[in-house]
Structures are given as C-alpha cells and as structure tokens.
C-alpha cells in the first residue's frame, strides 16, 4: 500500500521511505510452506475412504488457519508498514484494517540507537530506536541498511537545528 502524500506539508520533502527488510518475511513464508506441506502429506498418506477424507479436511482446515493467521496476515502487516523520513519529521505508519501513524518532529528527537543481531548483520538490517523529548521511544524493526539510516537521521537532525 503506498504512503499517502497528502499527509506531507507543501514544503516537506521525503528523504527516505522504507519498509521492513525482506528478512521479516522469512518466518511467515515458512509457515505458509509448512502448512501446505502438511496438507499435501496428509492427502498422500491418508487412505481414500471417508475417514481419510475427513482427516485431510481437518489437516487442511488447521493448515489454512495457520497459513492465514501466521503467514498471510504478517505479510500484509509488513507490506503496510512505512518508515518515512522527511526534512521536518519522522512518520511511522502501520496497520492493515486500522492504521496508526506516529509523527516525530526532528527537533524533538533526543537520541537514536541502532542494534543488530548476528543475523541482522548478515542481512544488513537492524532495529532503530528513537527517543524523543516527552514521548515514548519509537522502535523500527528490520530497518534495511540501518547504519546508513541512522547517519541520514543524524544529518537531518543537524540540518533541522541550523
């Protein structure tokens, strides 16, 4: 889902527009693949009588439930998550059916910290935590090229202070 340009002011320019790294889609993709594999195995291994068909239907219903709730839904959430950095503020938006958007003005950013696990370092992503004056900290997970994003954020904050 594209980020709506109507939330930006006339003079505001988008510097970075990011989605979570593709690494975050690995687990939901594996869940979908495992659910499909379980249904195929049940279809092949169970007999073709009424009891076997009922077993395949039960395994299929359970597989469908897990594929939708643990596979497709997280992928939709990832696709609808936006990390937008402008020359005036940081916009964090997520949600599929209902949306939540958080705006952090650059002049209120107090601190920003990145963290990367070993897997994050391999994939080139990480977590960016932004502390702002008077608000809760905002965390962005699976940010691609997190170190460059932190450097860009620092440059934006310095440019905003001048």
């Amino acid at each position: 889902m594209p980020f709506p340009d109507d939330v930006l002011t006339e003079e505001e320019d988008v510097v970075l527009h990011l989605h979570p790294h593709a690494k975050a889609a690995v687990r939901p993709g594996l869940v979908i693949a495992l659910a499909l594999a379980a249904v195929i195995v049940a279809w092949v291994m169970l007999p073709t009588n009424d009891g076997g068909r009922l077993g395949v239907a039960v395994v299929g219903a359970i597989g469908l439930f897990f594929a939708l709730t643990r596979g497709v839904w997280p992928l939709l959430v990832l696709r609808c998550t936006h990390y937008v950095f402008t020359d005036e503020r940081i916009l964090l938006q997520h949600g599929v059916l209902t949306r939540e958007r958080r705006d952090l003005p650059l002049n209120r950013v107090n601190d920003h910290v990145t963290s990367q696990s070993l897997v994050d370092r391999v994939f080139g992503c990480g977590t960016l935590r932004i502390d702002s004056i008077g608000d809760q900290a905002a965390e962005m997970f699976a940010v691609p090229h997190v170190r460059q994003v932190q450097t860009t954020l620092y440059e934006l904050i310095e440019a905003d202070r001048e």
Side-chain angles (χ1 to χ4, degrees):
M1 173 148 295
F3 188 78
D5 290 332
D6 60 344
V7 300
L8 303 175
T9 63
E10 295 279 332
E11 302 85 29
E12 196 169 14
D13 294 321
V14 174
V15 177
L16 290 173
H17 181 187
L18 305 169
H19 291 281
H21 192 272
K23 172 199 88 139
V26 170
R27 182 176 289 154
L30 285 175
V31 168
I32 293 170
L34 286 174
L36 182 61
V39 172
I40 291 171
V41 167
W43 184 29
V44 169
M45 299 297 283
L46 291 176
T48 58
N49 61 14
D50 289 339
R53 279 185 239 128
L54 179 63
V56 171
V58 169
V59 171
I62 293 171
L64 181 65
F65 172 77
F66 278 106
L68 290 176
T69 60
R70 306 277 192 230
V72 174
W73 185 256
L75 291 175
L76 283 173
V77 169
L78 287 174
R79 183 66 186 119
C80 294
T81 299
H82 298 272
Y83 306 139
V84 179
F85 295 80
T86 70
D87 54 354
E88 295 179 13
R89 59 189 166 156
I90 303 163
L91 297 118
L92 309 173
Q93 179 174 299
H94 67 275
V96 178
L97 299 177
T98 60
R99 283 212 185 100
E100 180 179 322
R101 188 178 81 222
R102 183 169 180 189
D103 295 352
L104 296 168
L106 291 176
N107 60 4
R108 295 186 57 89
V109 172
N110 192 28
D111 188 26
H112 44 94
V113 179
T114 62
S115 61
Q116 290 180 297
S117 67
L118 180 61
V119 174
D120 287 340
R121 291 178 64 193
V122 169
F123 284 110
C125 62
T127 300
L128 179 62
R129 179 185 166 103
I130 301 172
D131 292 323
S132 62
I133 299 171
D135 288 332
Q136 293 181 13
E139 281 194 326
M140 295 181 271
F141 299 100
V143 176
H145 310 292
V146 70
R147 293 189 327 199
Q148 289 89 353
V149 171
Q150 184 184 26
T151 302
T152 303
L153 177 59
Y154 177 77
E155 292 168 352
L156 287 171
I157 292 169
E158 288 302 312
D160 186 63
R161 288 185 180 155
E162 294 173 359

